[in-house]
Amino acid sequence: MDRLTSMAVFMKAVDLGSFAAAADALALSAPMVGKHVQFLEQRLGVRLINRTTRRQSLTDAGRDYYESCRAVLAEAEAADAIAADRRAEPRGRLRVAMPVHSGRRCIAPVLLQLAQRHPKLELDLSFADRLIDLAEGEHDLAIRTGAPEDKAGIIARRLARQRMLVVAAPSYLKRQGRPKQIEDLAQHQAIIYRRSGRISPWRFPRAGSETAAIAPSGRLRLDDLDAIADAAADGMGLAWLPSWLVRDRIASGALVAALPKQPEYLYDVTALWLQTPHLPLKVRLAIDALAAELPKVMA
C-alpha cells in the first residue's frame, strides 16, 4: 500500500470518528479503511486506534502519529502545489500595500511590468505610508521601509536598501550653521516624519556594527516625505530623507547634504506576507520580481 494514502485514510477515520464514515467520504469500503490502518500499525509496530463495536479512540501513539501525519501531508500538498505552479500562469487579484513615494517611483513600475508579462494577473495597489495589518486579510503583500516588526505569522524578505541623508537648504545652514557631527543635530530644528502616529529616530552607522539613533526635535511634523523635502528646501530645518527622493533637489542646489562626511545609513525595503504552507504563485512571482529588479541600494 502507498504510505501517504494510508496516512490520509487514517486521518479521515480519526476526523470523522469511524471507519464507516471515512469509507463513505473516501468512496472506499469499511474493510479497506481498516486495511490501511492495519498497514500503518504493522509497519510502525504500535496500535494507533482502539476499536470496539460501539466506539473508537486514539492511543497515545496514535495521537502523536496523527499530528505527524497532518504535517507530512501538508508538506506533500505544498510540494505538489509548487510543482504545479511552475507550469501555471499567475492569475487573479494581487493586493499590494506600499509607501506612497517609493511605491510610486520604485515598486509600482516593477509590478506593472509583471502584469504586462502575465495578462491574467490583476493588480490592486494601495499607496499609503500608514502601517497595515496583514492579518486583516485586505492585502496579500506589504512593502515597508525600516526594520520590520518581529511578529508571529509574518514572513519578511529584504528587497533593497535606501541611503538616508541629512539635508538642508543652503539658506538654513547659512543662518543656523552646519552641524559638524551627529551630536550637533540636537541644536537644530528637524522636520520630522510621522507615520501612523509614530516618530522613528534618525539612524547613523558607527564604527563596527553599532548604530546611533538620534531622536529628532522640531516644530514641524509631517506624514509626507515630499512635503518634508519641500519644507527643507524652504529653509525650515534639517530633514533625514532617502537619497533617491532628494537627488534632483541636490542637483539643482535647493538642498545640500548637511553632514557630508557622515557615512549614510542603509534603510531596509522589505516585503512582508502571512506565513502559509504554500505561497500563491502570484505573490511569489511579485516578490521575486521586486528582489530582482530593484537595485540593491536605491540611489
Side-chain angles (χ1 to χ4, degrees):
M1 287 185 172
D2 176 72
R3 197 190 335 173
L4 288 178
T5 301
S6 295
M7 286 179 173
V9 173
F10 164 68
M11 288 189 65
K12 185 65 71 174
V14 173
D15 290 340
L16 298 182
S18 72
F19 285 14
D24 288 342
L26 298 172
L28 298 173
S29 66
M32 181 56 70
V33 172
K35 287 182 179 180
H36 279 287
V37 175
Q38 186 179 27
F39 164 74
L40 294 174
E41 290 178 332
Q42 290 176 347
R43 188 178 186 284
L44 297 168
V46 296
R47 180 176 289 280
L48 300 174
I49 297 178
N50 290 319
R51 294 184 67 223
T52 67
T53 55
R54 302 182 64 178
R55 63 187 297 271
Q56 70 177 35
S57 62
L58 282 172
T59 64
D60 289 343
R63 191 172 295 106
D64 292 340
Y65 191 65
Y66 175 86
E67 295 300 327
S68 297
C69 286
R70 193 207 312 263
V72 168
L73 292 176
E75 288 291 334
E77 289 180 4
D80 287 348
I82 290 171
D85 276 352
R86 295 188 179 277
R87 304 190 308 271
E89 173 75 9
R91 66 184 65 220
R93 187 167 57 140
L94 175 64
R95 304 166 301 168
V96 186
M98 64 192 76
V100 174
H101 298 292
S102 59
R104 184 186 304 136
R105 298 191 189 190
C106 309
I107 307 299
V110 176
L111 296 178
L112 291 173
Q113 290 176 3
L114 184 68
Q116 286 181 333
R117 293 195 298 269
H118 301 287
K120 295 181 181 178
L121 179 64
E122 304 173 21
L123 293 181
D124 189 338
L125 307 183
S126 299
F127 298 86
D129 288 340
R130 66 180 178 86
L131 300 176
I132 64 104
D133 186 354
L134 286 168
E136 293 177 356
E138 296 181 0
H139 300 91
D140 304 303
L141 184 65
I143 311 301
R144 290 185 185 164
T145 56
E149 293 180 300
D150 186 10
K151 196 171 182 180
I154 300 293
I155 305 297
R157 177 180 175 184
R158 188 169 71 196
L159 302 173
R161 305 178 106 180
Q162 54 186 15
R163 297 188 298 117
M164 301 298 295
L165 303 174
V166 177
V167 295
S171 61
Y172 174 86
L173 296 179
K174 183 178 180 179
R175 187 172 68 250
Q176 300 295 336
R178 181 188 293 271
K180 294 182 173 58
Q181 55 190 358
I182 59 176
E183 288 76 13
D184 296 340
L185 297 176
Q187 310 304 318
H188 286 264
Q189 282 290 318
I191 306 169
I192 300 169
Y193 176 54
R194 185 188 70 244
R195 178 171 64 176
S196 296
R198 304 178 188 178
I199 296 174
S200 298
W202 294 5
R203 299 184 182 277
F204 302 90
R206 293 285 204 185
S209 59
E210 292 185 8
T211 298
I214 305 296
S217 62
R219 59 195 180 94
L220 297 183
R221 296 175 180 82
L222 294 80
D223 65 0
D224 183 273
L225 295 178
D226 247 338
I228 291 174
D230 287 341
D234 286 340
M236 297 296 293
L238 304 178
W240 189 62
L241 293 168
S243 59
W244 55 264
L245 181 69
V246 296
R247 181 179 57 237
D248 292 343
R249 292 178 175 90
I250 290 176
S252 70
L255 291 174
V256 296
L259 289 167
K261 295 182 180 180
Q262 170 64 41
E264 298 149 352
Y265 183 76
L266 297 179
Y267 214 52
D268 287 347
V269 179
T270 307
L272 304 175
W273 63 94
L274 289 176
Q275 186 174 20
T276 177
H278 170 58
L279 189 63
L281 176 62
K282 60 188 178 184
V283 179
R284 179 168 57 82
L285 287 182
I287 296 167
D288 290 345
L290 290 167
E293 297 296 330
L294 290 176
K296 297 306 177 189
V297 177
M298 297 160 61

